[in-house]
Short mmCIF file of all heavy atoms in Angstrom, two decimals:
data_model
loop_
_atom_site.label_atom_id
_atom_site.label_comp_id
_atom_site.label_asym_id
_atom_site.label_seq_id
_atom_site.Cartn_x
_atom_site.Cartn_y
_atom_site.Cartn_z
N TYR A 133 -5.05 13.11 -4.30
CA TYR A 133 -5.30 13.78 -3.06
C TYR A 133 -5.52 12.76 -1.94
O TYR A 133 -6.34 11.79 -2.12
CB TYR A 133 -6.40 14.75 -3.10
CG TYR A 133 -6.17 15.94 -4.01
CD1 TYR A 133 -6.34 15.84 -5.40
CD2 TYR A 133 -5.60 17.12 -3.50
CE1 TYR A 133 -6.02 16.85 -6.26
CE2 TYR A 133 -5.31 18.15 -4.31
CZ TYR A 133 -5.52 18.07 -5.73
OH TYR A 133 -5.18 19.15 -6.56
N TYR A 134 -4.84 12.94 -0.83
CA TYR A 134 -4.92 11.93 0.32
C TYR A 134 -5.41 12.68 1.56
O TYR A 134 -4.85 13.76 1.90
CB TYR A 134 -3.61 11.26 0.50
CG TYR A 134 -3.16 10.32 -0.60
CD1 TYR A 134 -2.41 10.78 -1.63
CD2 TYR A 134 -3.55 8.96 -0.62
CE1 TYR A 134 -2.00 9.99 -2.67
CE2 TYR A 134 -3.12 8.18 -1.61
CZ TYR A 134 -2.39 8.66 -2.65
OH TYR A 134 -1.98 7.83 -3.62
N CYS A 135 -6.21 12.04 2.32
CA CYS A 135 -6.54 12.53 3.63
C CYS A 135 -5.75 11.70 4.65
O CYS A 135 -5.36 10.57 4.32
CB CYS A 135 -8.01 12.58 3.97
SG CYS A 135 -8.82 10.92 3.81
N GLY A 136 -5.46 12.30 5.82
CA GLY A 136 -4.78 11.50 6.83
C GLY A 136 -5.09 12.04 8.24
O GLY A 136 -5.54 13.19 8.40
N THR A 137 -5.04 11.17 9.23
CA THR A 137 -5.26 11.53 10.62
C THR A 137 -4.68 10.49 11.53
O THR A 137 -4.29 9.41 11.08
CB THR A 137 -6.75 11.73 10.88
OG1 THR A 137 -6.90 12.25 12.18
CG2 THR A 137 -7.44 10.40 10.81
N TRP A 138 -4.66 10.73 12.78
CA TRP A 138 -4.21 9.78 13.80
C TRP A 138 -5.36 8.95 14.25
O TRP A 138 -6.40 9.51 14.49
CB TRP A 138 -3.55 10.56 14.97
CG TRP A 138 -2.89 9.65 15.96
CD1 TRP A 138 -3.34 9.40 17.27
CD2 TRP A 138 -1.63 9.03 15.88
NE1 TRP A 138 -2.36 8.60 17.83
CE2 TRP A 138 -1.29 8.34 17.06
CE3 TRP A 138 -0.65 8.96 14.80
CZ2 TRP A 138 -0.17 7.64 17.28
CZ3 TRP A 138 0.46 8.20 15.07
CH2 TRP A 138 0.70 7.56 16.19
N ASP A 139 -5.07 7.67 14.33
CA ASP A 139 -6.15 6.78 14.95
C ASP A 139 -5.73 6.47 16.38
O ASP A 139 -4.73 5.82 16.67
CB ASP A 139 -6.25 5.49 14.16
CG ASP A 139 -7.40 4.69 14.54
OD1 ASP A 139 -7.52 4.26 15.75
OD2 ASP A 139 -8.41 4.49 13.80
N THR A 140 -6.55 6.98 17.22
CA THR A 140 -6.22 6.83 18.73
C THR A 140 -6.30 5.45 19.19
O THR A 140 -5.51 5.05 20.13
CB THR A 140 -7.16 7.75 19.53
OG1 THR A 140 -7.10 9.07 19.02
CG2 THR A 140 -6.82 7.75 21.05
N SER A 141 -7.19 4.60 18.67
CA SER A 141 -7.34 3.23 19.09
C SER A 141 -6.17 2.41 18.64
O SER A 141 -5.66 1.52 19.35
CB SER A 141 -8.60 2.62 18.58
OG SER A 141 -9.76 3.24 19.19
N LEU A 142 -5.73 2.61 17.41
CA LEU A 142 -4.59 1.88 16.79
C LEU A 142 -3.22 2.49 17.11
O LEU A 142 -2.18 1.80 16.86
CB LEU A 142 -4.77 1.80 15.32
CG LEU A 142 -6.09 1.21 14.71
CD1 LEU A 142 -6.08 1.36 13.26
CD2 LEU A 142 -6.06 -0.26 15.14
N ASN A 143 -3.21 3.70 17.67
CA ASN A 143 -1.91 4.46 17.78
C ASN A 143 -1.15 4.48 16.55
O ASN A 143 0.04 4.17 16.43
CB ASN A 143 -1.10 3.86 18.91
CG ASN A 143 -1.15 4.61 20.22
OD1 ASN A 143 -1.74 5.76 20.22
ND2 ASN A 143 -0.54 4.17 21.22
N THR A 144 -1.92 4.85 15.47
CA THR A 144 -1.33 4.72 14.07
C THR A 144 -1.81 5.85 13.23
O THR A 144 -2.96 6.33 13.38
CB THR A 144 -1.89 3.42 13.46
OG1 THR A 144 -1.44 2.28 14.24
CG2 THR A 144 -1.38 3.24 11.96
#
Side-chain angles (χ1 to χ4, degrees):
Chain A
Y133 293 84
Y134 294 89
C135 58
T137 188
W138 187 253
D139 190 298
T140 304
S141 295
L142 300 173
N143 259 354
T144 300

